[in-house]
Amino acid sequence: MRLISPSAALLILVLVSACKNDYLNYNKVPVNIKTGTAIDVTTKTVGSEGGTIAVSMPGTPVDGIEVAVPANSYASSETFTITYSEITSHSFGTNFNPITPMITIKCDGGYAKEPMNITIPVSIPAGSIAVGFFYDTSTGKLEGIPVIAETSGSITLSTRHFLSGNMLRVDASPLKSASAEKNGGANIIITSFTESLLLGQSIIASGYKPGTDDWEFVNYGSYLAVGGQCAGQNMTAMWYYFEKKASDGNLNGKFRDNPKIWQSNARGYRFCSVIHSDLEWSGVAIDLFDKFIDKNQAADKLKLFTIAATMLVTGEPQGIGIYRIKGARADGSPSYGGHDLICYQVSVSEGKLFISDPNKPGVGQVIEYANERFSPYIAMLNGHAASNPYPFVTYYAKTAYIEWNKIGKRYAELLDNTIGTVAPNNFPDYTIWVKGKEDRKMVDGFSIDSDTLRCTVECPTTERGFHVGNQWLIWYDMLDDQGAIISHWEGSGKGYTILKPGLNKIGFYITSRKTEAVDAGGNLSELFVDYKSFNIYFSKLKISPNPIAGEPGKDVKITANTDGTAPKSAKYVWNFGDGS
C-alpha cells in the first residue's frame, strides 16, 4: 500500500474539484428554449448532382417543407435528416413569437459550395413579417438566417450549412466540450414581428461600436487580397466580437505594437488578408452573394425589417454586403462588384442602417432607406480605389454563409505569430539585407559603425520586383517610431537612411506589386507584405592609439571608444592577422 500524506491528499482533492468546476462552467449554458419530444420527419441522401428533400406529413406543422440542394454543393453524397419538436417555453421575451416548432436539419458535410434554400410553410399574421433564426444549444443564443423570399404562407431561408453551434468552433473553444463534439444539426425557428413594433423603436442597437470593435487600419488590400480585404476585416471583427471580446477585451488597437503606426499591427492585417483569401472572396464567396443579390431591390423592405427584428431579439451586429453593376460577362449578363459592411444599429422609423465600413475605421456611416428602397451607398472597394454608388444591399447575418470555424483556426496562428506563413494562403518569404563590404541579414539589435544604413529586401517569389545580380528585390519604406518615412529610395530595390548615434528604432514596411492591382490613378498599388521593427545601433567606434605602435616584448594598451553609442551587451574582438 502506498501512503499519501494529508497535504498531498488535500492537493488531489483541490485539483479534482477545480477540474470539475471548469467542466461545469464550460457546460453551464442557459436553456433559453424548451421543447417537447423530437419527432422524426425524413431522412434522404442527396448526391453531388443535387436534389430536393420534400416533407409530406399532412396534418403536421412541417408538411410542405422543402430543402433545395443545388448541384455540386457537396463533392459526394450527403445524408440529410429532419426532425421537429414543439416549443413549450422560451426566455427571449415578448418580442419573440415563434410561429413554427423547432425544426432540426442535419447534414454532416460541413459548408456547401452553394447556398441551400429551405422553404417553410407558415401563417404570417397581417401587418407582420417572418424571420428565421438558428438556435445554438451550446450558447443558448439565437442567430439570424438570411431570408430570400416571403409570402403570406411561406418563408424561404438560405444557408450553406446545417451544423450545430459547437461544430462551428475550433477544438480549443470551451463551448466545444467533449460532450458535444458531434453534429446535432441546425435548429431553425421562424418567428413573427409586427411592423408597428419595429417602426415604434427609435433606435435598435447592438453592443458593437466603431472605434472599439472594428480594426483600426484602413482596408488597403494586400499581396494576398489585391482588390481589398473588406470581407476579411469585417468577418474577423465579427468573429472576435462574438467569440473573444467578453474574455479578451476590445479589438481596436489590441494587436498594434505602436499606436502611431497602423502597419505595426502586422499580425492583425495579415489575419484579415488570410481570412479574406481563405473564404475565396474573389471566387466561391462572391459567386454566392452574386446569386443572392436582389437585383431589382424588390425585397429591400423585407431586408430592413429582418435586420431590425434580428438585432432587436439578439442585440448583436449583422453582416451585410453591398453591390453594383461593374460591367458585363462574356455572355452579356451583368458582372457585379461588392463591398462588405457591418450593421451595428438600425432605425426603421428614420429609414437608416448604421454601418461600420472597413475603409473608414472608427467612424460610423449610414445607408438611407426611403420609398421601400435603399439609397445607393457611396463606397470604395479599398482605401485606394475610386468611389462608386452601390445600390444593392444583401443581408448575410453571420455563420449562414461565413465558414466560422476557419476564422477560429487562423486566430490561433495570429496568437502564435505564424499568421501569414501557413499555406495555402501565405505571404511570400523575404530577407532584409544590410549592404556593406559584406551583406548581412537584418536582425533585432543590429550594430553598424557607419551612419548610413543601406538595405535591400530580397523576395524570390513575388510577381514583380527588380533583378539585381542573382537577387529578386522588392519595395520597402523605413519608418521612425513616430511613423514618418525616413528612408531615401535609390531605385532598383535599394534605399538608405541616416542613423543618429546610439539606438535607432526603425520599422520596415515591406510591399510588393501585382499587375492586376491598380489604384484610382492607374498606378500599380503598393501591396502590404509585412511590417517589422528593429533596434539598430550606430556605434562610432574609435581605436587609440591610432596608428597603433609597439615594441617587441612590451605590452601595448589599446582602447576602444564608442562615445556611448554601443549597446551594453557589446563585445569587442581583435583580429591580430595571424589567426589568433
Side-chain angles (χ1 to χ4, degrees), residues 344-407:
Y344 65 91
Q345 193 167 282
V346 186
S347 174
V348 178
S349 59
E350 296 180 11
K352 292 181 179 180
L353 294 180
F354 296 84
I355 54 99
S356 174
D357 186 337
N359 294 330
K360 300 175 181 179
V363 182
Q365 307 295 316
V366 174
I367 296 177
E368 303 281 354
Y369 173 88
N371 301 318
E372 299 192 355
R373 295 288 186 273
F374 287 115
S375 301
Y377 176 72
I378 307 301
M380 305 177 292
L381 283 178
N382 59 64
H384 295 300
S387 297
N388 286 286
Y390 288 73
F392 307 123
V393 174
T394 295
Y395 169 57
Y396 69 80
K398 191 174 71 174
T399 72
Y401 282 161
I402 306 168
E403 296 185 46
W404 206 245
N405 47 1
K406 279 190 175 182
I407 301 176

Side-chain angles (χ1 to χ4, degrees), residues 279-298:
L279 299 177
E280 299 181 275
W281 195 248
S282 61
V284 173
I286 195 67
D287 288 342
L288 289 170
F289 284 87
D290 187 3
K291 295 169 185 173
F292 187 58
I293 297 170
D294 176 21
K295 301 173 179 64
N296 61 12
Q297 297 183 286

Side-chain angles (χ1 to χ4, degrees), residues 18-351:
C19 292
K20 183 178 180 181
N21 287 337
D22 283 345
Y23 180 81
L24 290 174
N25 287 336
Y26 287 169
N27 291 275
K28 193 176 181 180
V29 176
V31 181
N32 289 323
I33 295 179
K34 293 183 179 180
T35 63
T37 303
I39 299 172
D40 292 333
V41 174
T42 188
T43 297
K44 183 176 180 179
T45 299
V46 177
S48 59
E49 71 280 4
T52 299
I53 301 106
V55 176
S56 178
M57 294 183 69
T60 70
V62 294
D63 182 46
I65 288 179
E66 289 190 356
V67 179
V69 183
N72 302 314
S73 294
Y74 294 101
S76 58
S77 296
E78 295 292 343
T79 299
F80 293 76
T81 62
I82 302 177
T83 62
Y84 78 95
S85 50
E86 178 189 358
I87 296 174
T88 57
S89 66
H90 69 81
S91 55
F92 288 111
T94 57
N95 294 329
F96 186 73
N97 300 295
I99 56 176
T100 65
M102 181 182 289
I103 302 162
T104 303
I105 305 176
K106 177 183 176 182
C107 173
D108 291 328
Y111 276 82
K113 291 183 178 179
E114 301 286 338
M116 298 171 287
N117 293 344
I118 314 106
T119 300
I120 301 173
V122 290
S123 178
I124 304 175
S128 299
I129 66 161
V131 177
F133 290 94
F134 288 126
Y135 175 62
D136 184 351
T137 56
S138 67
T139 62
K141 292 184 177 182
L142 296 168
E143 175 194 333
I145 308 174
V147 181
I148 63 172
E150 189 167 305
T151 69
S152 61
S154 70
I155 182 173
T156 301
L157 309 175
S158 181
T159 181
R160 289 179 59 204
H161 76 84
F162 294 112
L163 300 170
S164 52
N166 66 295
M167 299 302 294
L168 300 174
R169 296 180 175 86
V170 296
D171 293 340
S173 170
L175 294 173
K176 190 167 183 178
S177 64
S179 63
E181 288 183 344
K182 293 183 179 180
N183 175 29
N187 301 311
I188 297 172
I189 302 168
I190 310 301
T191 185
S192 67
F193 295 83
T194 62
E195 294 184 12
S196 59
L197 168 68
L198 300 174
L199 285 165
Q201 311 288 322
S202 58
I203 288 289
I204 300 172
S206 70
Y208 189 99
K209 294 180 181 178
T212 299
D213 299 306
D214 57 347
W215 294 99
E216 70 278 8
F217 42 73
V218 174
N219 160 41
Y220 290 119
S222 72
Y223 195 80
L224 290 186
V226 296
Q229 56 188 37
C230 58
Q233 285 190 211
N234 281 345
M235 292 174 183
T236 53
M238 289 262 284
W239 181 90
Y240 184 91
Y241 180 84
F242 286 106
E243 303 290 343
K244 293 295 177 182
K245 177 174 178 171
S247 59
D248 296 357
N250 298 332
L251 175 65
N252 195 281
K254 180 178 179 63
F255 299 104
R256 185 170 53 189
D257 295 331
N258 185 328
K260 296 181 179 179
I261 304 174
W262 70 265
Q263 297 97 323
S264 71
N265 191 349
R267 289 188 297 163
Y269 205 86
R270 282 186 158 205
F271 180 40
C272 297
S273 291
V274 168
I275 288 298
H276 193 95
S277 299
D278 281 348
L279 299 177
E280 299 181 275
W281 195 248
S282 61
V284 173
I286 195 67
D287 288 342
L288 289 170
F289 284 87
D290 187 3
K291 295 169 185 173
F292 187 58
I293 297 170
D294 176 21
K295 301 173 179 64
N296 61 12
Q297 297 183 286
D300 280 1
K301 178 181 177 181
L302 177 60
K303 293 171 189 174
L304 174 66
F305 278 83
T306 299
I307 294 168
T310 304
M311 194 175 295
L312 179 65
V313 170
T314 66
E316 295 176 343
Q318 303 296 312
I320 63 174
I322 56 173
Y323 297 87
R324 70 181 181 92
I325 298 174
K326 67 176 183 179
R329 303 180 191 274
D331 61 3
S333 63
S335 171
Y336 294 87
H339 184 52
D340 194 76
L341 304 169
I342 294 173
C343 178
Y344 65 91
Q345 193 167 282
V346 186
S347 174
V348 178
S349 59
E350 296 180 11

